[in-house]
Amino acid sequence: MAVISVLDKAVSELIAAGEVIERPASVIKELLENAIDAGAKHITVEIKDGGTSFMRIVDDGCGMAAEDVPTAFLRHATSKIQEKADLDSILTFGFRGEALASVAAVARVTLLTKRPQDALGTSYEIAGTEFSPPEECGCPDGTTIVVKDLFFNVPARRKFMKSVTSEGNAISQIVQKIAISHPEIAFRFLRDNKVCFHSDGSGELLSVIHTVYGREFAGRLMRVDTETDDIRVWGYAVKPLYCRPNRSLQNFYVNTRSVRSRALTTALESAYENLHMVGKFPACVLFIDMQPDALDVNIHPAKAEVRFSDEKRVIDAVFFALKNAMVAEGLIYEIRLPQKDWHAGAAEPEPVQQPLLPEPPPIPVRPPVREPLPEMAFGVPKCPNVPQEEEVQWQHPMPEVTGLPPMPETSVPEIPRQELPPPAVQEEKQPLPFPDVKVIGELFANYILAQSGETFIIIDKHAAHERVIFERLRKENCQQYRQMLLTPCQVMLTMEEIGAMEENTALLERLGFIFDFENRPYVKALAAPVFFAELDIDEIVQEVAHNLYLGKVNPQAHMLDDMFHEMACKSAIRANDKNALPELQTLAECVCHDENIRHCPHGRPVMFTLSKYELEKQFRRRV
Ligand code: ADP
Ligand code: MG
């Protein structure tokens, strides 16, 4: 008796459907993409019970002709690819003609559709393998699809669904991401009869971000827009000070399609390295526009992941764009005092001097003289009696830097021999950002006051010293701390990672490691720096190897950075320490001449500047 038989159609449909439709959110994603492809200007998404019982998508796109409706639900039915020559577009856009067939295979679907040129529309119902013939009906232009009882015929799948809340959240995320990628389409999203958001379709990216993620988030972003090497990276990324406790708001769009990509996350996080607090993550809405033939979106059945043919080039482009944005945004903060006239108008403060004797005739008392310098607390100057929003405007005094180096190849970077690290951004002979820095004194035993030309500079000595030491530790030769391991630690790595390590043995040695590559895919660490003794060396080796493979600027593992932070913090001078002027002078020069040193390793600012011009304006020497 034959033991091999072809699966019955209903079963093979279910298997195929399972690849595309994993959960309610996958239905929403596919149907939203169809509505967008249909040229809709308005799209409404409505769900109940996390999409498990009810999902409805209404669009005002091109609609379908009556005779096309049943065909659209057949597997491999698509209007988007005509012939084999179009196969390229399958690879680039991911049209596979599978979504409607897959949804109908596992749910009860009702479709209403009408093309603008037709007088009447069509209604159609399909559930699993059962469908009724399409019927004429009256309906608005566009398409409405209602999906009920998802996985009604696949109990095993139903069991795998999470709570109604988490399925609803997953849908929410998809709708948010897609709405953001199409600011020109007005989206309305309703969850259990409540409107979650409603974008206006104005075409303004920031306006959709505001609608979807809220005012506070939108207010903390910096604009990104740089084109390198045929790759344009644009959108918004959060200012380093506002990094978040998780990665949930890292949004990447490659050729407007929302994607996940380890390479893009790496590029993003490298750009923010050491600009934010430990354990925080940058957030962004970044669009990467590039030649479609340089990527493959079809490695994932739901097209959520991309693969780049030249990953490193994309990482460089994203990294560079973000660094550019940070430079333009100002990693150095210049204090601009409010334009408002404090000494006039209704906002006059209460007098502070109290009359000494009772009952004298009221004397007009002068308002207290306010100091021209705002009080600084955690980097944000506070000015008395000035409304919050207008308090201070930050301005970046540096010219636009166009010559930022891309992330270096996975080769050994030069380890500086100087006493202090040189500025990383400086290539050739560029003018120093603050020439002739001269320390003029110290304030509150913590702030170095210095002058450079017409700029007054205030430096937090602890934060600054901490960062200087941290940079030195990362760049310095750790070879001197090397210690042979009693039991060599063995780690399994990918061939690419091993290759990257072999190309960088000199760098690894300077970091204090010795490896044996004889037994691949295992790599044996024979020696490591003595101060890593308490850390998990396996994990460090894996991360260092992977970072080398990705071509990161600093291949150190996060754990190492955390440790360097700690060492730097412990050994840095502190507030109230007594420091001689020459010592402060050296520190001030280190800070002013290295544009890397603008934040302490925890992300707090290291310095502020105030221009002579600003000061003169305050004293009414200028108007
Ligand atoms: P694909 O999108 O890969 O072509 P689908 O199964 O998602 O495959 O859709 C099949 C076809 O049905 C599409 O090619 C399109 O012609 C039509 N279609 C699906 N949804 C809509 C819609 N909302 N408006 C108009 N046409 C649609
Ligand atoms: Mg589709």
Side-chain angles (χ1 to χ4, degrees), residues 177 233 237 243 246-254 259-273 276 280-284 286 288 304-306 308 311 314-319 322 326 407 543 546-547 550 552 558:
K177 280 182 193 286
V233 179
C243 280
N246 56 51
R247 295 193 166 92
S248 64
L249 293 189
Q250 297 187 347
N251 298 291
F252 297 105
Y253 300 87
V254 174
V259 296
R260 286 194 302 263
S261 153
R262 193 165 169 172
L264 296 177
T265 308
T266 301
L268 173 74
E269 294 183 0
S270 304
Y272 280 76
E273 222 165 52
H276 55 76
K280 296 246 180 164
F281 301 92
C284 68
L286 279 187
I288 294 103
E305 275 169 27
V306 277
F308 302 104
E311 193 166 87
V314 180
I315 292 182
D316 282 351
V318 172
F319 178 85
L322 287 161
M326 287 175 191
M407 298 170 83
E543 210 184 319
H546 195 73
N547 289 345
L550 291 172
K552 275 200 162 192
H558 273 98

Side-chain angles (χ1 to χ4, degrees), residues 512-557:
F513 289 103
I514 300 181
F515 290 104
D516 168 357
F517 299 107
E518 287 308 303
N519 187 21
R520 14 191 106 235
Y522 295 95
V523 162
K524 213 187 269 175
L526 304 174
V530 61
F531 45 75
F532 296 172
E534 281 169 25
L535 302 176
D536 182 344
I537 297 188
D538 280 29
E539 218 175 294
I540 293 181
V541 171
Q542 285 175 44
E543 210 184 319
V544 168
H546 195 73
N547 289 345
L548 280 175
Y549 160 65
L550 291 172
K552 275 200 162 192
V553 190
N554 297 303
Q556 277 95 333

Side-chain angles (χ1 to χ4, degrees), residues 30 33-34 37 80 95 99 303:
E30 293 293 340
E33 284 181 358
N34 281 349
D37 293 341
K80 298 165 196 170
F95 301 133
K303 300 161 268 168

